[in-house]
Amino acid sequence: METSGLPDISWENLGFNPVTTDFMYVMKFSGDGEFLSGGLQRFGNIELNPASCVLNYGQGIIEGLKAHKKHDNSILLFRPEENGLRMKIGADRMCMPAPTIEQFVEAVKVTVLANRRWVPPPHKGFLHIRPLLMGTGPVLSLTPAPEFTFLIFVTPVGNYFEGGLKQLNLVVKEEIHRAVPGGVGSVKAIGNYAVVLKALIEAKADGFAEVLYLDSVYNKYLEEVSTANIFVVKDRIISTPVLGGTILPGVTRKSIIEIACSQGFQVEERLVSVDEMLDADEVFCTGNAICLLPVGSITYMGRRVLYGETGVVSQQLFSALSNIQMGLTEDQMGWTVILE
């Protein structure tokens, strides 16, 4: 099932907004502990019971991964099994059944191939892949849904780094926290994003690109940005907040750590204080959509620290990862999946 022909779209003007593509993938939970065989449907609205658990109690998680087109017209997926594993772990925390990793990866492949005409040409962007797992069954009391839906939709988006790496200007928000110990900060739960909207809107109104959140106990250790992990570089030692239940285990984060180690860098996963960050040589963020973006400035308690031009380490790691994702260099890590 595939629609031929080129879409009526300007690849040069892609932003990061949803575009209506051809197909989406839908799979239902059978009720006996497994998901039934799913399939493609025409992209469109879905029906939800007003009493569905995802609407009333937020029982839902999301994933995000990307597909790049090569010059030979083949398509590259980046580590889809990692996203499948993360969804499975997150689903367990949210009392939800999940597709197997094999089901997840196969569904991603089928959806991308059915929408392959929407994958931007090389260097024009990528296809953003958004899997959803939702408690769609109706409930009234606070209880897991009796029915679950796994859905994947895709949309073409532009590159964040068109014309070179764009530096982020961050602000630290002390009064708003993204996650708390014992919560679901390590899960891509849909509620994790709604709680930071107020801080993010205020920050953008003040001219900042993003918000950096601190831990909710001591209010001094770095956690992450709204939709990205953070790294600090000092004397060629790369440090990033240790995963401890409040920080999302990003696939891009994991990939950057593995690349940095392979290149001989010393990487430390530990508690990183605000003071260390303000004294760093470089700071950068990682995430599925942004890949890796350097931080140009951070404002904390009215003090603004500038980091100058994009650092050598940030540039080196960005080039290494993005070249693998786009198929510009040989994938010696075995991370990419090629779709013909």
Side-chain angles (χ1 to χ4, degrees):
M1 182 183 292
E2 182 180 341
T3 301
S4 60
L6 296 175
D8 183 18
I9 191 170
S10 173
W11 299 118
E12 281 72 22
N13 297 315
L14 281 176
F16 203 79
N17 295 301
V19 174
T20 299
T21 51
D22 295 321
F23 300 102
M24 60 186 185
Y25 186 97
V26 179
M27 182 163 58
K28 297 284 188 178
F29 181 63
S30 65
D32 59 0
E34 296 181 353
F35 273 87
L36 299 170
S37 297
L40 294 169
Q41 298 180 12
R42 280 287 181 177
F43 182 91
N45 296 335
I46 61 173
E47 288 189 1
L48 287 176
N49 188 306
S52 63
C53 194
V54 67
L55 294 180
N56 288 266
Y57 298 115
Q59 192 183 29
I61 55 179
I62 64 173
E63 272 299 329
L65 57 160
K66 61 176 63 170
H68 284 279
K69 182 173 288 186
K70 295 180 64 177
H71 286 288
D72 63 4
N73 212 39
S74 63
I75 297 171
L76 289 181
L77 298 177
F78 185 72
R79 307 191 79 171
E81 73 288 343
E82 289 288 338
N83 295 90
L85 175 61
R86 188 170 64 180
M87 173 169 276
K88 192 173 182 62
I89 294 173
D92 181 68
R93 174 63 180 84
M94 300 287 287
C95 298
M96 307 170 72
T100 65
I101 297 175
E102 293 75 17
Q103 285 177 315
F104 180 97
V105 173
E106 182 61 26
V108 168
K109 291 179 180 179
V110 168
T111 310
V112 170
L113 287 174
N115 292 283
R116 70 179 304 150
R117 70 188 187 123
W118 293 97
V119 184
H123 308 293
K124 298 296 183 182
F126 58 90
L127 190 71
H128 182 77
I129 306 162
R130 173 54 57 84
L132 304 168
L133 183 60
M134 303 172 287
T136 46
V139 297
L140 192 57
S141 60
L142 181 55
T143 184
E147 175 188 301
F148 297 88
T149 300
F150 173 64
L151 184 150
I152 301 176
F153 71 91
V154 299
T155 182
V157 295
N159 289 322
Y160 271 78
F161 45 87
E162 190 68 34
L165 288 179
K166 295 182 180 178
Q167 293 183 314
L168 295 172
N169 295 313
L170 305 182
V171 62
V172 177
K173 290 283 189 179
E174 296 179 279
E175 69 281 7
I176 295 179
H177 296 93
R178 175 190 168 273
V180 297
V184 292
S186 63
V187 176
K188 282 186 74 72
I190 58 176
N192 288 347
Y193 300 90
V195 297
V196 301
L197 283 175
K198 180 177 175 60
L200 186 57
I201 290 172
E202 290 176 350
K204 291 189 174 183
D206 291 333
F208 298 102
E210 258 289 3
V211 177
L212 175 58
Y213 302 94
L214 304 179
D215 75 285
S216 62
V217 178
Y218 302 101
N219 218 29
K220 62 179 282 188
Y221 296 109
L222 309 183
E223 293 258 296
E224 61 179 275
V225 181
S226 302
T227 57
N229 296 112
I230 193 158
F231 289 78
V232 171
V233 183
K234 182 68 175 180
D235 299 329
R236 293 185 64 80
I237 298 176
I238 303 172
S239 302
T240 190
V242 62
L243 302 177
T246 58
I247 296 172
L248 186 72
V251 176
T252 310
R253 173 189 183 275
K254 180 179 181 179
S255 303
I256 284 294
I257 290 174
E258 294 178 20
I259 288 174
C261 289
S262 73
Q263 294 184 351
F265 287 99
Q266 179 180 336
V267 180
E268 298 178 351
E269 296 182 71
R270 58 178 177 81
L271 295 177
V272 182
S273 69
V274 174
D275 291 338
E276 287 184 73
M277 176 185 64
L278 299 179
D279 188 47
D281 299 326
E282 301 177 39
V283 179
F284 62 85
C285 297
T286 63
N288 173 65
I290 65 174
C291 186
L292 182 154
L293 284 183
V295 173
S297 75
I298 292 179
T299 299
Y300 173 61
M301 298 183 68
R303 174 191 173 192
R304 189 183 189 200
V305 174
L306 301 173
Y307 295 98
E309 297 182 359
T310 302
V312 174
V313 176
S314 300
Q315 180 67 64
Q316 181 176 328
L317 294 177
F318 165 76
S319 297
L321 179 57
S322 61
N323 286 343
I324 291 174
Q325 290 180 331
M326 294 187 288
L328 301 178
T329 58
E330 181 182 355
D331 175 19
Q332 297 181 341
M333 311 295 279
W335 287 342
T336 53
V337 176
I338 302 176
L339 304 180
E340 300 293 346

mmCIF file of all heavy atoms in Angstrom, residues 253-291:
data_model
loop_
_atom_site.group_PDB
_atom_site.id
_atom_site.type_symbol
_atom_site.label_atom_id
_atom_site.label_comp_id
_atom_site.label_asym_id
_atom_site.label_seq_id
_atom_site.Cartn_x
_atom_site.Cartn_y
_atom_site.Cartn_z
ATOM 1 N N ARG A 253 21.019 10.735 23.264
ATOM 2 C CA ARG A 253 21.945 10.833 24.410
ATOM 3 C C ARG A 253 22.841 9.612 24.462
ATOM 4 O O ARG A 253 24.071 9.724 24.591
ATOM 5 C CB ARG A 253 21.130 10.960 25.702
ATOM 6 C CG ARG A 253 21.952 10.906 26.991
ATOM 7 C CD ARG A 253 21.019 10.807 28.208
ATOM 8 N NE ARG A 253 21.743 10.812 29.481
ATOM 9 C CZ ARG A 253 22.270 9.733 30.038
ATOM 10 N NH1 ARG A 253 22.151 8.556 29.433
ATOM 11 N NH2 ARG A 253 22.912 9.830 31.203
ATOM 12 N N LYS A 254 22.243 8.439 24.417
ATOM 13 C CA LYS A 254 22.996 7.193 24.471
ATOM 14 C C LYS A 254 23.985 7.096 23.313
ATOM 15 O O LYS A 254 25.143 6.671 23.505
ATOM 16 C CB LYS A 254 22.032 6.007 24.432
ATOM 17 C CG LYS A 254 22.698 4.646 24.475
ATOM 18 C CD LYS A 254 21.656 3.528 24.467
ATOM 19 C CE LYS A 254 22.336 2.165 24.533
ATOM 20 N NZ LYS A 254 21.341 1.052 24.552
ATOM 21 N N SER A 255 23.551 7.508 22.123
ATOM 22 C CA SER A 255 24.404 7.424 20.936
ATOM 23 C C SER A 255 25.604 8.360 21.043
ATOM 24 O O SER A 255 26.723 7.994 20.675
ATOM 25 C CB SER A 255 23.584 7.749 19.685
ATOM 26 O OG SER A 255 22.465 6.884 19.570
ATOM 27 N N ILE A 256 25.374 9.570 21.547
ATOM 28 C CA ILE A 256 26.467 10.528 21.701
ATOM 29 C C ILE A 256 27.484 10.020 22.719
ATOM 30 O O ILE A 256 28.702 10.153 22.530
ATOM 31 C CB ILE A 256 25.921 11.913 22.109
ATOM 32 C CG1 ILE A 256 25.285 12.616 20.897
ATOM 33 C CG2 ILE A 256 27.017 12.782 22.708
ATOM 34 C CD1 ILE A 256 26.278 12.980 19.798
ATOM 35 N N ILE A 257 27.003 9.430 23.808
ATOM 36 C CA ILE A 257 27.920 8.877 24.806
ATOM 37 C C ILE A 257 28.785 7.785 24.179
ATOM 38 O O ILE A 257 30.011 7.738 24.376
ATOM 39 C CB ILE A 257 27.130 8.323 26.014
ATOM 40 C CG1 ILE A 257 26.512 9.474 26.812
ATOM 41 C CG2 ILE A 257 28.046 7.485 26.909
ATOM 42 C CD1 ILE A 257 25.596 9.019 27.929
ATOM 43 N N GLU A 258 28.167 6.900 23.391
ATOM 44 C CA GLU A 258 28.906 5.802 22.778
ATOM 45 C C GLU A 258 29.898 6.324 21.736
ATOM 46 O O GLU A 258 31.025 5.819 21.635
ATOM 47 C CB GLU A 258 27.932 4.807 22.162
ATOM 48 C CG GLU A 258 27.080 4.087 23.206
ATOM 49 C CD GLU A 258 26.068 3.130 22.598
ATOM 50 O OE1 GLU A 258 26.242 2.719 21.437
ATOM 51 O OE2 GLU A 258 25.084 2.788 23.285
ATOM 52 N N ILE A 259 29.509 7.327 20.962
ATOM 53 C CA ILE A 259 30.423 7.905 19.977
ATOM 54 C C ILE A 259 31.587 8.594 20.676
ATOM 55 O O ILE A 259 32.754 8.435 20.291
ATOM 56 C CB ILE A 259 29.678 8.914 19.068
ATOM 57 C CG1 ILE A 259 28.736 8.170 18.113
ATOM 58 C CG2 ILE A 259 30.670 9.763 18.264
ATOM 59 C CD1 ILE A 259 27.865 9.085 17.281
ATOM 60 N N ALA A 260 31.286 9.372 21.717
ATOM 61 C CA ALA A 260 32.336 10.090 22.441
ATOM 62 C C ALA A 260 33.349 9.116 23.036
ATOM 63 O O ALA A 260 34.568 9.342 22.961
ATOM 64 C CB ALA A 260 31.721 10.961 23.529
ATOM 65 N N CYS A 261 32.853 8.028 23.619
ATOM 66 C CA CYS A 261 33.767 7.030 24.189
ATOM 67 C C CYS A 261 34.625 6.388 23.102
ATOM 68 O O CYS A 261 35.822 6.147 23.301
ATOM 69 C CB CYS A 261 32.973 5.965 24.937
ATOM 70 S SG CYS A 261 32.222 6.526 26.490
ATOM 71 N N SER A 262 34.029 6.132 21.944
ATOM 72 C CA SER A 262 34.782 5.516 20.844
ATOM 73 C C SER A 262 35.851 6.451 20.296
ATOM 74 O O SER A 262 36.825 5.999 19.695
ATOM 75 C CB SER A 262 33.827 5.100 19.719
ATOM 76 O OG SER A 262 33.337 6.233 19.011
ATOM 77 N N GLN A 263 35.660 7.753 20.503
ATOM 78 C CA GLN A 263 36.631 8.745 20.037
ATOM 79 C C GLN A 263 37.651 9.112 21.110
ATOM 80 O O GLN A 263 38.462 10.013 20.915
ATOM 81 C CB GLN A 263 35.912 9.999 19.544
ATOM 82 C CG GLN A 263 35.059 9.770 18.303
ATOM 83 C CD GLN A 263 34.423 11.052 17.784
ATOM 84 O OE1 GLN A 263 34.467 12.097 18.430
ATOM 85 N NE2 GLN A 263 33.837 10.987 16.597
ATOM 86 N N GLY A 264 37.608 8.424 22.230
ATOM 87 C CA GLY A 264 38.617 8.636 23.249
ATOM 88 C C GLY A 264 38.291 9.658 24.317
ATOM 89 O O GLY A 264 39.132 9.955 25.178
ATOM 90 N N PHE A 265 37.081 10.202 24.296
ATOM 91 C CA PHE A 265 36.701 11.163 25.332
ATOM 92 C C PHE A 265 36.388 10.435 26.634
ATOM 93 O O PHE A 265 35.930 9.282 26.627
ATOM 94 C CB PHE A 265 35.461 11.958 24.915
ATOM 95 C CG PHE A 265 35.712 12.976 23.841
ATOM 96 C CD1 PHE A 265 35.397 12.696 22.513
ATOM 97 C CD2 PHE A 265 36.255 14.212 24.144
ATOM 98 C CE1 PHE A 265 35.614 13.629 21.515
ATOM 99 C CE2 PHE A 265 36.477 15.157 23.160
ATOM 100 C CZ PHE A 265 36.161 14.862 21.838
ATOM 101 N N GLN A 266 36.612 11.128 27.726
ATOM 102 C CA GLN A 266 36.168 10.636 29.021
ATOM 103 C C GLN A 266 34.758 11.146 29.255
ATOM 104 O O GLN A 266 34.523 12.347 29.245
ATOM 105 C CB GLN A 266 37.092 11.133 30.137
ATOM 106 C CG GLN A 266 36.672 10.677 31.536
ATOM 107 C CD GLN A 266 37.608 11.185 32.616
ATOM 108 O OE1 GLN A 266 38.767 11.487 32.348
ATOM 109 N NE2 GLN A 266 37.115 11.274 33.846
ATOM 110 N N VAL A 267 33.800 10.227 29.429
ATOM 111 C CA VAL A 267 32.396 10.601 29.621
ATOM 112 C C VAL A 267 31.961 10.192 31.022
ATOM 113 O O VAL A 267 32.156 9.045 31.433
ATOM 114 C CB VAL A 267 31.489 9.935 28.576
ATOM 115 C CG1 VAL A 267 30.027 10.336 28.801
ATOM 116 C CG2 VAL A 267 31.927 10.309 27.163
ATOM 117 N N GLU A 268 31.375 11.141 31.741
ATOM 118 C CA GLU A 268 30.919 10.888 33.101
ATOM 119 C C GLU A 268 29.417 11.097 33.205
ATOM 120 O O GLU A 268 28.911 12.165 32.854
ATOM 121 C CB GLU A 268 31.642 11.821 34.085
ATOM 122 C CG GLU A 268 33.150 11.628 34.120
ATOM 123 C CD GLU A 268 33.844 12.586 35.071
ATOM 124 O OE1 GLU A 268 33.177 13.527 35.578
ATOM 125 O OE2 GLU A 268 35.058 12.399 35.319
ATOM 126 N N GLU A 269 28.710 10.083 33.675
ATOM 127 C CA GLU A 269 27.288 10.214 33.973
ATOM 128 C C GLU A 269 27.164 10.347 35.487
ATOM 129 O O GLU A 269 27.394 9.389 36.224
ATOM 130 C CB GLU A 269 26.522 8.988 33.461
ATOM 131 C CG GLU A 269 26.549 8.814 31.963
ATOM 132 C CD GLU A 269 25.752 7.622 31.507
ATOM 133 O OE1 GLU A 269 24.499 7.666 31.580
ATOM 134 O OE2 GLU A 269 26.375 6.616 31.092
ATOM 135 N N ARG A 270 26.795 11.555 35.940
ATOM 136 C CA ARG A 270 26.810 11.844 37.374
ATOM 137 C C ARG A 270 25.950 13.071 37.642
ATOM 138 O O ARG A 270 25.363 13.651 36.721
ATOM 139 C CB ARG A 270 28.246 12.120 37.832
ATOM 140 C CG ARG A 270 28.923 13.278 37.079
ATOM 141 C CD ARG A 270 30.325 13.550 37.584
ATOM 142 N NE ARG A 270 30.993 14.592 36.828
ATOM 143 C CZ ARG A 270 30.797 15.911 37.030
ATOM 144 N NH1 ARG A 270 29.949 16.328 37.973
ATOM 145 N NH2 ARG A 270 31.465 16.808 36.298
ATOM 146 N N LEU A 271 25.862 13.458 38.906
ATOM 147 C CA LEU A 271 25.208 14.717 39.245
ATOM 148 C C LEU A 271 26.068 15.867 38.745
ATOM 149 O O LEU A 271 27.271 15.912 38.993
ATOM 150 C CB LEU A 271 25.008 14.829 40.757
ATOM 151 C CG LEU A 271 24.061 13.829 41.421
ATOM 152 C CD1 LEU A 271 24.047 14.042 42.940
ATOM 153 C CD2 LEU A 271 22.657 13.961 40.862
ATOM 154 N N VAL A 272 25.451 16.781 38.012
ATOM 155 C CA VAL A 272 26.165 17.945 37.468
ATOM 156 C C VAL A 272 25.486 19.201 38.008
ATOM 157 O O VAL A 272 24.296 19.416 37.770
ATOM 158 C CB VAL A 272 26.151 17.951 35.931
ATOM 159 C CG1 VAL A 272 26.952 19.145 35.404
ATOM 160 C CG2 VAL A 272 26.708 16.645 35.374
ATOM 161 N N SER A 273 26.224 20.028 38.725
ATOM 162 C CA SER A 273 25.634 21.208 39.342
ATOM 163 C C SER A 273 25.556 22.376 38.377
ATOM 164 O O SER A 273 26.255 22.408 37.351
ATOM 165 C CB SER A 273 26.451 21.630 40.567
ATOM 166 O OG SER A 273 27.713 22.134 40.168
ATOM 167 N N VAL A 274 24.722 23.346 38.719
ATOM 168 C CA VAL A 274 24.614 24.564 37.922
ATOM 169 C C VAL A 274 25.958 25.277 37.858
ATOM 170 O O VAL A 274 26.366 25.769 36.804
ATOM 171 C CB VAL A 274 23.547 25.513 38.507
ATOM 172 C CG1 VAL A 274 23.549 26.838 37.761
ATOM 173 C CG2 VAL A 274 22.172 24.881 38.428
ATOM 174 N N ASP A 275 26.665 25.331 38.976
ATOM 175 C CA ASP A 275 27.953 26.036 39.013
ATOM 176 C C ASP A 275 28.948 25.421 38.038
ATOM 177 O O ASP A 275 29.710 26.136 37.376
ATOM 178 C CB ASP A 275 28.525 26.006 40.432
ATOM 179 C CG ASP A 275 27.725 26.864 41.402
ATOM 180 O OD1 ASP A 275 27.022 27.779 40.923
ATOM 181 O OD2 ASP A 275 27.794 26.616 42.622
ATOM 182 N N GLU A 276 28.960 24.088 37.934
ATOM 183 C CA GLU A 276 29.848 23.429 36.973
ATOM 184 C C GLU A 276 29.498 23.839 35.551
ATOM 185 O O GLU A 276 30.386 24.085 34.727
ATOM 186 C CB GLU A 276 29.732 21.913 37.105
ATOM 187 C CG GLU A 276 30.378 21.320 38.322
ATOM 188 C CD GLU A 276 30.285 19.802 38.291
ATOM 189 O OE1 GLU A 276 31.001 19.177 37.487
ATOM 190 O OE2 GLU A 276 29.477 19.252 39.051
ATOM 191 N N MET A 277 28.208 23.881 35.270
ATOM 192 C CA MET A 277 27.765 24.249 33.928
ATOM 193 C C MET A 277 28.179 25.672 33.583
ATOM 194 O O MET A 277 28.639 25.942 32.466
ATOM 195 C CB MET A 277 26.253 24.108 33.823
ATOM 196 C CG MET A 277 25.674 24.568 32.496
ATOM 197 S SD MET A 277 23.868 24.523 32.488
ATOM 198 C CE MET A 277 23.502 25.756 33.748
ATOM 199 N N LEU A 278 28.036 26.591 34.525
ATOM 200 C CA LEU A 278 28.375 27.986 34.263
ATOM 201 C C LEU A 278 29.871 28.174 34.040
ATOM 202 O O LEU A 278 30.300 29.160 33.444
ATOM 203 C CB LEU A 278 27.887 28.861 35.420
ATOM 204 C CG LEU A 278 26.374 28.860 35.671
ATOM 205 C CD1 LEU A 278 26.031 29.749 36.848
ATOM 206 C CD2 LEU A 278 25.609 29.294 34.424
ATOM 207 N N ASP A 279 30.666 27.220 34.503
ATOM 208 C CA ASP A 279 32.121 27.288 34.343
ATOM 209 C C ASP A 279 32.620 26.391 33.213
ATOM 210 O O ASP A 279 33.821 26.201 33.047
ATOM 211 C CB ASP A 279 32.792 26.883 35.668
ATOM 212 C CG ASP A 279 34.296 27.117 35.656
ATOM 213 O OD1 ASP A 279 34.720 28.220 35.239
ATOM 214 O OD2 ASP A 279 35.042 26.196 36.044
ATOM 215 N N ALA A 280 31.720 25.834 32.439
ATOM 216 C CA ALA A 280 32.091 24.875 31.400
ATOM 217 C C ALA A 280 32.710 25.553 30.181
ATOM 218 O O ALA A 280 32.522 26.750 29.944
ATOM 219 C CB ALA A 280 30.862 24.071 30.987
ATOM 220 N N ASP A 281 33.428 24.757 29.408
ATOM 221 C CA ASP A 281 33.975 25.232 28.131
ATOM 222 C C ASP A 281 32.906 25.197 27.046
ATOM 223 O O ASP A 281 32.835 26.085 26.192
ATOM 224 C CB ASP A 281 35.156 24.357 27.702
ATOM 225 C CG ASP A 281 36.289 24.381 28.708
ATOM 226 O OD1 ASP A 281 36.503 25.441 29.335
ATOM 227 O OD2 ASP A 281 36.949 23.337 28.876
ATOM 228 N N GLU A 282 32.092 24.140 27.073
ATOM 229 C CA GLU A 282 31.006 23.978 26.111
ATOM 230 C C GLU A 282 29.814 23.345 26.808
ATOM 231 O O GLU A 282 29.975 22.596 27.778
ATOM 232 C CB GLU A 282 31.402 23.067 24.942
ATOM 233 C CG GLU A 282 32.583 23.516 24.121
ATOM 234 C CD GLU A 282 32.927 22.503 23.036
ATOM 235 O OE1 GLU A 282 31.969 21.939 22.431
ATOM 236 O OE2 GLU A 282 34.121 22.245 22.812
ATOM 237 N N VAL A 283 28.636 23.631 26.280
ATOM 238 C CA VAL A 283 27.407 22.969 26.711
ATOM 239 C C VAL A 283 26.615 22.648 25.451
ATOM 240 O O VAL A 283 26.532 23.474 24.539
ATOM 241 C CB VAL A 283 26.579 23.863 27.651
ATOM 242 C CG1 VAL A 283 25.282 23.148 28.054
ATOM 243 C CG2 VAL A 283 27.375 24.243 28.892
ATOM 244 N N PHE A 284 26.046 21.454 25.386
ATOM 245 C CA PHE A 284 25.213 21.135 24.226
ATOM 246 C C PHE A 284 24.048 20.253 24.643
ATOM 247 O O PHE A 284 24.059 19.628 25.707
ATOM 248 C CB PHE A 284 26.030 20.491 23.097
ATOM 249 C CG PHE A 284 26.687 19.178 23.443
ATOM 250 C CD1 PHE A 284 25.992 17.971 23.344
ATOM 251 C CD2 PHE A 284 28.032 19.142 23.826
ATOM 252 C CE1 PHE A 284 26.601 16.765 23.638
ATOM 253 C CE2 PHE A 284 28.651 17.929 24.136
ATOM 254 C CZ PHE A 284 27.943 16.744 24.039
ATOM 255 N N CYS A 285 23.018 20.227 23.798
ATOM 256 C CA CYS A 285 21.815 19.433 24.034
ATOM 257 C C CYS A 285 21.669 18.379 22.948
ATOM 258 O O CYS A 285 22.110 18.592 21.810
ATOM 259 C CB CYS A 285 20.568 20.325 24.037
ATOM 260 S SG CYS A 285 20.519 21.554 25.349
ATOM 261 N N THR A 286 21.043 17.263 23.295
ATOM 262 C CA THR A 286 20.796 16.210 22.309
ATOM 263 C C THR A 286 19.340 15.769 22.369
ATOM 264 O O THR A 286 18.714 15.760 23.422
ATOM 265 C CB THR A 286 21.690 14.981 22.575
ATOM 266 O OG1 THR A 286 21.369 14.418 23.863
ATOM 267 C CG2 THR A 286 23.160 15.346 22.534
ATOM 268 N N GLY A 287 18.805 15.403 21.219
ATOM 269 C CA GLY A 287 17.443 14.920 21.135
ATOM 270 C C GLY A 287 17.167 14.386 19.752
ATOM 271 O O GLY A 287 17.927 14.640 18.806
ATOM 272 N N ASN A 288 16.082 13.650 19.601
ATOM 273 C CA ASN A 288 15.763 13.065 18.293
ATOM 274 C C ASN A 288 15.650 14.112 17.207
ATOM 275 O O ASN A 288 16.250 13.992 16.141
ATOM 276 C CB ASN A 288 14.461 12.272 18.382
ATOM 277 C CG ASN A 288 13.982 11.791 17.032
ATOM 278 O OD1 ASN A 288 14.629 10.981 16.384
ATOM 279 N ND2 ASN A 288 12.840 12.307 16.585
ATOM 280 N N ALA A 289 14.866 15.149 17.451
ATOM 281 C CA ALA A 289 14.619 16.148 16.408
ATOM 282 C C ALA A 289 15.823 17.039 16.170
ATOM 283 O O ALA A 289 16.176 17.345 15.031
ATOM 284 C CB ALA A 289 13.399 16.986 16.776
ATOM 285 N N ILE A 290 16.482 17.449 17.244
ATOM 286 C CA ILE A 290 17.573 18.419 17.098
ATOM 287 C C ILE A 290 18.909 17.755 16.804
ATOM 288 O O ILE A 290 19.854 18.444 16.412
ATOM 289 C CB ILE A 290 17.713 19.294 18.355
ATOM 290 C CG1 ILE A 290 18.130 18.448 19.566
ATOM 291 C CG2 ILE A 290 16.433 20.061 18.630
ATOM 292 C CD1 ILE A 290 18.434 19.273 20.805
ATOM 293 N N CYS A 291 19.019 16.454 16.991
ATOM 294 C CA CYS A 291 20.290 15.728 16.891
ATOM 295 C C CYS A 291 21.199 16.254 18.001
ATOM 296 O O CYS A 291 21.123 15.795 19.126
ATOM 297 C CB CYS A 291 20.914 15.893 15.511
ATOM 298 S SG CYS A 291 22.400 14.892 15.251
#
